[in-house]
Every structure is written in C-alpha cells, then in structure tokens.
Amino acid sequence: MAKNLDISDAIFGLIWCMAAVDTKVDPIEIKYLQYLQKEKQINLTKNVILQKNGTLSFYRKKGIKEAKSIWEMCCNRLNASEHLHRTKAIAEIFDFVYIFESLPKYKELQKKIKTPESTLLFNTLEKLDVSEDIISQLYNGIDPYQICATSGAELTSALLSLPKMTSKKVNQVMKHFNNSFEIRKSSIKSLCKIDFIDIEDAIEIHKYFF
C-alpha cells in the first residue's frame, strides 16, 4: 500500500492527523486544510477526500478512529521516498503547528512536552528520521528546496536526464546557477536567455525543478 500512496496525499494526511489529534477537526482547521489544496498546490488524488465536517476519507480508511492507521501509512510512504519529500512534510507540519498550536522554541522542542499535539509532532519527527540540522533550518524558515538543493555532478546528471538536453546546453546552464534551488527560483524567461536553451528546454527545466 505504501508504494501506491501518492506523496501529496501522504503529506496532506499527516497535516490532517495533526488537526485531528484532539479527536476533532475545528472549522478553522478545515478552512486551512482546504487552503492547502487550493493555494499551496497540494493536489490530492481521488483516494483522499476531505469532508465538510473535517472527516478524512483516506485510501479506504475514514474518520478519527482510523487516524493512527492513516498516520502510519503516511509516514511509511514518506520514508520510502526521497529526502526532499520528508523535509517538505515536516515544513508543512511546522507551519500548521505554528498557526494553531503555538510551535515551541527549538530548545523547548528537544524537551518532550506532554501534550497530544507535541507528542504526535515528536513521534512524526522520529518516524521520518529527519536530522536535527534540518529541523533547525526549517525552524529558521529556510525553504525545504533550498535545504535539499543539489549541485555539482548530481545537478548535472539531473539536467542531462531531461529531453533534448546535451552536455553543451547543461554546461551553459551550470554557468548561471550554483544549485537546483536557484534554478527553481528562476523564470522561463530567464532560462531562455541562456545560450543554446530554447523555449522547450526552458519549459522542461522549469517543470523538473518546480
């Protein structure tokens, strides 16, 4: 099941679990979950449906009573995925906790405060095995894509994997960017200004890193 679970579904499921940890999802939390789908482009598959009352239908599991199973499914899927996805998930969870539960300071986070919200947060951090260094960077508001940015040979390999990309084109791109995060922040217009990069190349690069 974990391999078939969509990454966006897994991230959304974890955030919902944080909202449902006190056995209910408040109306304002429902609005925030709806906002995540519409504005932050967490695109869910048909296997995940958020009901108007806050109940979540998640891969044939439904409701608060199955929240623990949903949490385990999401964690298992993220653990089987690339590091960036786990980092993005933690960033979204931190945002949720900061807004609704008052995210503790980093030093306080290291002390296991006994509340349902903090307990689930600690359990999630341990389950996803995110390093203290990354947690600290997320606390300081650093973008997950910047934290997990690739460079050098790894970035070169990623660019060469794109359609129509040649070593000549990749070398030109590498002259303008130090890492994948810089490419992500660029526009198609700026990419088209690079020697030998045409509009089709720019679109493929932008799609891959965005």
Side-chain angles (χ1 to χ4, degrees):
M1 172 66 78
K3 290 182 179 179
N4 297 327
L5 203 159
D6 184 80
I7 288 295
S8 292
D9 291 349
I11 293 174
F12 187 85
L14 281 184
I15 302 167
W16 177 85
C17 287
M18 289 300 305
V21 72
D22 54 359
T23 70
K24 67 180 185 302
V25 181
D26 295 331
I28 190 64
E29 292 174 329
I30 296 171
K31 287 185 178 180
Y32 183 75
L33 291 168
Q34 292 170 339
Y35 158 80
L36 289 178
Q37 296 178 70
K38 295 177 181 178
E39 303 300 330
K40 296 201 73 174
Q41 298 181 334
I42 297 184
N43 299 314
L44 305 180
T45 68
K46 62 182 180 180
N47 297 303
V48 180
I49 301 173
L50 178 67
Q51 306 291 345
K52 291 182 179 180
N53 65 358
T55 298
L56 189 71
S57 298
F58 193 90
Y59 289 80
R60 298 185 180 180
K61 296 188 180 296
K62 186 176 181 180
I64 304 294
K65 291 182 179 179
E66 295 199 86
K68 185 176 180 181
S69 294
I70 292 173
W71 177 82
E72 289 177 345
M73 288 171 62
C74 295
C75 287
N76 289 339
R77 177 63 184 97
L78 287 163
N79 275 333
S81 70
E82 62 184 79
H83 188 58
L84 173 61
H85 294 144
R86 299 197 297 278
T87 306
K88 285 170 61 179
I90 295 300
E92 292 292 352
I93 291 171
F94 278 175
D95 284 350
F96 178 88
V97 176
Y98 181 84
I99 293 168
F100 292 102
E101 309 295 345
S102 183
L103 186 66
K105 293 181 180 179
Y106 183 63
K107 288 183 179 179
E108 294 175 355
L109 180 70
Q110 293 172 312
K111 304 172 185 177
K112 293 206 171 183
I113 307 165
K114 297 294 183 181
T115 66
E117 294 80 12
S118 61
T119 297
L120 184 60
L121 176 60
F122 295 134
N123 289 343
T124 303
L125 292 174
E126 290 179 356
K127 185 81 170 178
L128 296 185
D129 194 27
V130 179
S131 71
E132 287 193 13
D133 178 58
I134 288 178
I135 292 171
S136 178
Q137 290 184 68
L138 290 172
Y139 253 77
N140 290 324
I142 299 177
D143 191 299
Y145 286 93
Q146 184 175 359
I147 295 172
C148 299
T150 57
S151 59
E154 188 175 358
L155 179 56
T156 298
S157 178
L159 287 167
L160 283 171
S161 71
L162 300 179
K164 291 180 56 186
M165 289 299 286
T166 64
S167 296
K168 187 176 183 179
K169 292 181 178 181
V170 170
N171 288 337
Q172 289 300 315
V173 173
M174 295 293 285
K175 288 179 181 180
H176 290 79
F177 303 103
N178 294 313
N179 56 56
S180 58
F181 181 68
E182 291 182 2
I183 297 177
R184 175 179 169 80
K185 300 294 286 185
S186 68
S187 65
I188 291 179
K189 179 181 177 181
S190 63
L191 289 167
C192 285
K193 292 181 179 179
I194 299 174
D195 289 343
F196 310 121
I197 299 298
D198 60 27
I199 181 62
E200 291 182 353
D201 296 326
I203 290 172
E204 289 297 332
I205 292 170
H206 197 265
K207 281 167 52 180
Y208 183 87
F209 290 101
F210 192 80

